[in-house]
């Protein structure tokens, strides 16, 4: 059996990200980390591949920027990494992204389960997850908080999903695409041996031609990036002789702001 | 060429946030010179379509067949995809809830149409739809356009107002059949555990949040709890006995910082920030939260931010409209008492 996960490099969680005068998104000299949600999907991929006695593969779709996330994945213990890149392809468009991802899964040809983190913080969406499942025609189970049972011989999976209105236990057929939430596991830290192995790894790069697919036309395009309006800098520090006086003043202000 | 709006339902009633999607759909329809069509699947869909009429929906397409009774991605996406293929609406709008996100993305993939997700602002420029949406966890914004016949749009909760209730329009209702065969479905819902007081931060008008400072509770931990265990006990006690009463008086939801969640003070469902929920309440009260960049990404869209923190240098004060420097365990109870007195 074979479990695949997708990842990307995103700016460090603590980094300030802004749009510079040329309209480009930048985070200065700060490095990238593996997309924070992917810590959980990487861990779950290692666990599930271990349970099933099978293989694990991590894939990134896009530029060399994502090699760092792939190396981090290998250092954690994912067995193989590969990158799909295609010059001129608009990776911001989720239909283009999912066509390349589906091409890679089809080329691997023996995949039982694809595990995603909840979303990617850079593109700030999870649409590519569902669109990959759709283009493969596979079962989609999102917002998974626990895998209750995965039977790779029988081709079934049962999961717990966490939704706005509560939790749901759902069974489905494999192959499947799932997205997992924080809390499903405790992601491991890469150990020294893992880091050394990952540093030496050669990561193959597949193009659309390697996948044997015709790239679809992008349905969407990003027009421009810009900085959110500055929040009013005026902070009023509430003072008073007693805590009660401060509380009363604050409440007066909140009534005046009409938020109470 | 109408604008479709998916009315999300639960237990035979419309989710109130769906009317926000309708508000966005109507402003879009006005700009395009067309009208709106409500898409309602499931239990009591005819009654819900009639409700949509109160907000001025011109027509509705409903399906209340047995297999559509409860929301399922496979059945709903297949039918929505078919309807879009058949009617070629200019747009399909839904709120970016867990269901709205997966449903629209799936139907958009089936129809090879553009999807702009988590839209906070929307306009029509030279006949094309342009959506403004967050990127990089909300640290920057982007404008995105779609060039397909139909554009799918998920709108962020609380970003668009619901339309005013007009003189009731009676929408023309079309009943359709499911697009899937019940016995061929790939998934089966085995059990549904509805959570009491489920945390719905995305809809909340007021949020009271706690951070690492919750562990500074003066209440003594039970004998035998040492170090971090004692801190966890103190923080949990603080969320239950100090923050919850304030939230109750305000009718607020309880949020938390990643530091508080990772330390085990409160379950993950409450986390606000880059790897938690992005929230936009009218009032956000941050208690004992320093305001790390990843937390700010989740709450900077709040209308009014109040910060209560012992450390006058905490970055959260730079973002706050009002700040109180002090121990949350002094300030929050005083605030709760004063509010009770004021609101009674």
């Amino acid at each position: 059996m074979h479990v695949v996960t997708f990842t990307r490099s995103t700016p460090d969680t603590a980094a300030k990200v802004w749009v510079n005068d040329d309209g480009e998104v930048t985070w200065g000299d700060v490095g990238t980390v593996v997309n924070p949600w992917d810590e959980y999907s990487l861990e779950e991929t290692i666990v599930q591949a271990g349970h099933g006695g099978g293989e694990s593969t991590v894939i990134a779709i896009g530029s060399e920027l994502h090699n760092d996330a792939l190396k981090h994945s290998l250092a954690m213990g994912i067995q193989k990494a590969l990158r799909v890149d295609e010059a001129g392809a608009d990776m911001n468009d989720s239909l283009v992204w999912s066509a390349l991802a589906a091409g890679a899964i089809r080329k691997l040809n023996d995949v039982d389960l694809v595990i995603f983190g909840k979303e990617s913080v850079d593109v700030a969406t999870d649409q590519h997850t569902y669109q990959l499942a759709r283009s493969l025609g596979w079962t989609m189970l999102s917002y998974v908080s626990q895998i209750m049972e995965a039977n790779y011989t029988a081709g079934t999976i049962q999961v717990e999903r966490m939704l706005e209105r509560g939790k749901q236990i759902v069974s489905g057929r494999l192959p499947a695409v799932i997205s997992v939430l924080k809390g499903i596991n405790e992601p491991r830290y890469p150990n020294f041996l893992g880091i050394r192995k990952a540093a030496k790894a050669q990561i193959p790069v597949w193009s659309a031609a390697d996948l044997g697919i015709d790239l679809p036309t992008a349905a969407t395009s990003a027009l421009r990036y810009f900085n959110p309006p500055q929040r009013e800098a005026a902070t009023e520090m509430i003072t008073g002789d007693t805590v009660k006086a401060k509380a009363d003043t604050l409440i007066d202000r909140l009534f005046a702001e009409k938020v109470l | 060429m109408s604008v479709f709006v998916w009315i999300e339902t639960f237990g035979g009633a419309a989710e109130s946030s769906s009317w926000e999607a309708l508000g966005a759909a109507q402003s879009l329809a006005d700009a395009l010179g067309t009208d709106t069509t409500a898409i309602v699947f499931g239990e009591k869909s005819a009654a819900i379509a009639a409700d949509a009429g109160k907000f001025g929906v011109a027509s509705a397409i409903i399906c209340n067949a047995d297999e559509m009774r409860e929301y399922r991605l496979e059945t709903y996406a297949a039918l929505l995809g078919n309807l879009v293929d058949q009617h070629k609406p200019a747009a399909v709008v839904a709120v970016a809830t867990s269901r709205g996100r997966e449903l629209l993305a799936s139907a958009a993939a089936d129809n090879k149409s553009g999807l702009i997700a988590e839209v906070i602002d929307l306009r029509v420029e030279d006949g094309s739809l342009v959506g403004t949406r967050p990127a990089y966890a909300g640290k920057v914004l982007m404008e995105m356009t779609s060039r397909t016949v139909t554009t799918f749009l998920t709108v962020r909760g609380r970003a668009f107002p619901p339309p005013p209730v007009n003189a009731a329009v009676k929408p023309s209702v079309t009943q359709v059949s499911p697009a899937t065969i019940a016995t061929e479905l790939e998934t089966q819902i085995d059990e549904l555990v509805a959570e009491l007081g489920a945390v719905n931060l995305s809809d909340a008008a007021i949020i009271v949040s706690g951070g690492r400072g919750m562990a500074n509770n003066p209440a003594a931990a039970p004998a035998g709890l040492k170090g971090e265990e004692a801190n966890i006990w103190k923080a949990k006690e603080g969320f239950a006995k100090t923050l919850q009463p304030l939230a109750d008086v305000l009718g607020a939801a309880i949020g938390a910082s990643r530091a508080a969640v990772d330390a085990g003070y409160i379950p993950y469902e409450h986390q606000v920030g880059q790897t938690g929920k992005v929230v936009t309440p009218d009032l956000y009260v941050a208690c004992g939260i320093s305001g790390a960049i990843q937390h700010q990404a989740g709450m900077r869209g709040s209308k009014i931010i109040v910060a209560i923190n012992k450390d006058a240098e905490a970055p959260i004060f730079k973002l706050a409209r009002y700040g109180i420097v002090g121990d949350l365990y002094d300030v929050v109870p005083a605030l709760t008492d004063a509010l009770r007195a004021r609101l009674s």
Side-chain angles (χ1 to χ4, degrees), chain A:
Chain A
M1 55 83 77
H2 195 170
V3 186
V4 169
T5 187
F6 286 85
T7 193
R8 25 199 313 123
S9 300
T10 60
D12 190 281
T13 320
K16 183 175 184 285
V17 179
W18 73 97
V19 180
N20 66 18
D21 293 342
D22 298 326
E24 294 158 347
V25 177
T26 177
W27 48 91
D29 300 333
V30 184
T32 60
V33 293
V34 62
N35 173 41
W37 296 101
D38 294 349
E39 297 270 352
Y40 308 96
S41 43
L42 286 165
E43 175 67 29
E44 202 58 32
T45 299
I46 297 167
V47 169
Q48 291 303 321
H51 283 172
E55 276 182 87
S56 58
T57 300
V58 59
I59 306 178
I61 310 281
S63 73
E64 280 172 359
L65 173 79
H66 302 295
N67 280 352
D68 285 345
L70 292 174
K71 296 225 161 171
H72 177 90
S73 310
L74 291 171
M76 274 179 80
I78 302 274
Q79 292 163 347
K80 284 184 202 153
L82 61 96
R83 190 158 62 80
V84 177
D85 201 1
E86 180 63 34
D90 184 354
M91 306 291 189
N92 263 324
D93 183 75
S94 59
L95 292 180
V96 170
W97 193 99
S98 55
L100 289 167
I105 296 292
R106 287 207 180 92
K107 188 175 161 86
L108 290 173
N109 198 33
D110 60 350
V111 179
D112 300 280
L113 183 63
V114 173
I115 306 182
F116 277 93
K118 180 175 166 271
E119 62 185 48
S120 299
V121 298
D122 51 354
V123 288
T125 183
D126 53 1
Q127 66 204 57
H128 48 293
T129 309
Y130 313 116
Q131 297 192 331
L132 171 62
R134 219 61 196 176
S135 43
L136 292 169
W138 290 8
T139 307
M140 176 74 227
L141 296 165
S142 58
Y143 303 93
V144 170
S145 44
Q146 200 187 335
I147 297 181
M148 325 286 288
E149 200 193 352
N151 186 330
Y152 299 100
T153 323
T156 57
I157 186 167
Q158 190 186 44
V159 303
E160 177 192 78
R161 302 176 63 209
M162 200 160 82
L163 304 166
E164 282 93 343
R165 293 291 196 159
K167 289 174 179 167
Q168 217 180 40
I169 312 284
V170 192
S171 306
R173 279 185 217 146
L174 293 172
V177 176
I178 71 172
S179 71
V180 300
L181 297 176
K182 176 174 173 175
I184 188 170
N185 53 40
E186 278 292 327
R188 71 193 69 189
Y189 289 103
N191 60 26
F192 176 70
L193 218 66
I195 293 168
R196 223 173 49 178
K197 217 169 118 188
K200 284 192 233 148
Q202 291 295 314
I203 297 171
V205 181
W206 291 353
S207 67
D210 293 330
L211 304 177
I213 60 165
D214 290 325
L215 216 53
T217 324
T220 57
S221 48
L223 297 177
R224 69 180 184 113
Y225 289 87
F226 58 104
N227 293 307
Q230 286 284 324
R231 284 197 69 90
E232 293 169 56
T235 303
E236 184 188 341
M237 298 307 287
I238 309 277
T239 52
D241 291 338
T242 61
V243 181
K244 183 175 184 313
K246 288 182 196 172
D248 282 329
T249 309
L250 175 60
I251 292 165
D252 287 341
R253 298 288 189 276
L254 296 179
F255 272 106
E257 298 273 9
K258 295 188 167 54
V259 290
L260 290 184

Side-chain angles (χ1 to χ4, degrees), chain A residues 254 259-260, chain B residues 158 204-208 250 252 280-285 302-306 322:
Chain A
L254 296 179
V259 290
L260 290 184
Chain B
R158 298 178 51 81
I206 304 181
I207 294 173
V208 176
L250 290 168
T280 52
D282 293 334
L283 175 61
Y284 188 89
V285 185
S302 308
K303 195 168 149 207
I304 300 286
I305 295 167
V306 171
Y322 300 106

Side-chain angles (χ1 to χ4, degrees), chain B residues 297-337:
Chain B
M299 45 68 85
R300 59 175 303 137
S302 308
K303 195 168 149 207
I304 300 286
I305 295 167
V306 171
I308 301 166
N309 204 297
K310 268 180 147 155
D311 175 9
E313 302 298 314
I316 191 79
F317 286 120
K318 292 212 170 64
L319 211 62
R321 177 70 187 89
Y322 300 106
I324 297 183
V325 177
D327 187 336
L328 78 95
Y329 283 100
D330 295 329
V331 178
V332 172
L335 201 54
T336 309
D337 288 345

Side-chain angles (χ1 to χ4, degrees), chain B residues 264-279:
Chain B
Y265 300 167
I266 187 163
Y268 165 63
E269 298 95 286
H270 295 271
Q271 185 178 321
V272 171
Q274 188 161 269
T275 47
K277 295 267 163 56
V278 175
V279 298

